[in-house]
Amino acid sequence: MSNEDNLERKIHPLPFPFLYREILWANRTVIAASAAAVVGVISGYPFDSVKTRLQTQPYDSILACVKQTYKEEGIRGFFRGTDTA
């Protein structure tokens, strides 16, 4: 091998970069739908948590429920019941 061949041959961090691009392109709808579902659940879960608290405990208002939850449990209180909280 000459020096020119070594310069032309580049090392890529992924073993088969074209394969990853093809897999991503072929599954772009699945990837986009999965990402949208995750964002939807993360953004909607706090509202569901507040709704459940309002149904099970007496609060003066929605704002009172949000304030008390944040005061007592912090941001994690809105995600109570998930695996991450």
Side-chain angles (χ1 to χ4, degrees), residues 4-84:
E4 291 176 16
D5 290 338
N6 285 335
L7 291 176
E8 289 178 17
R9 188 174 172 207
K10 296 180 181 178
I11 298 174
H12 196 277
L14 301 174
F16 303 105
F18 63 90
L19 184 63
Y20 290 107
R21 273 187 251 128
E22 285 181 25
I23 290 171
L24 289 174
W25 182 256
N27 295 306
R28 65 187 182 275
T29 304
V30 172
I31 294 167
S34 298
V38 168
V39 169
V41 169
I42 289 173
S43 63
Y45 200 88
F47 295 107
D48 190 48
S49 178
V50 169
K51 177 194 66 105
T52 303
R53 287 173 186 259
L54 286 168
Q55 290 174 340
T56 58
Q57 300 172 12
Y59 288 101
D60 294 333
S61 66
I62 294 173
L63 188 58
C65 177
V66 171
K67 284 181 180 180
Q68 185 173 349
T69 301
Y70 186 75
K71 181 180 175 185
E72 292 177 0
E73 301 178 42
I75 197 73
R76 298 183 104 196
F78 296 106
F79 294 94
R80 191 172 185 184
T82 62
D83 292 335
T84 59

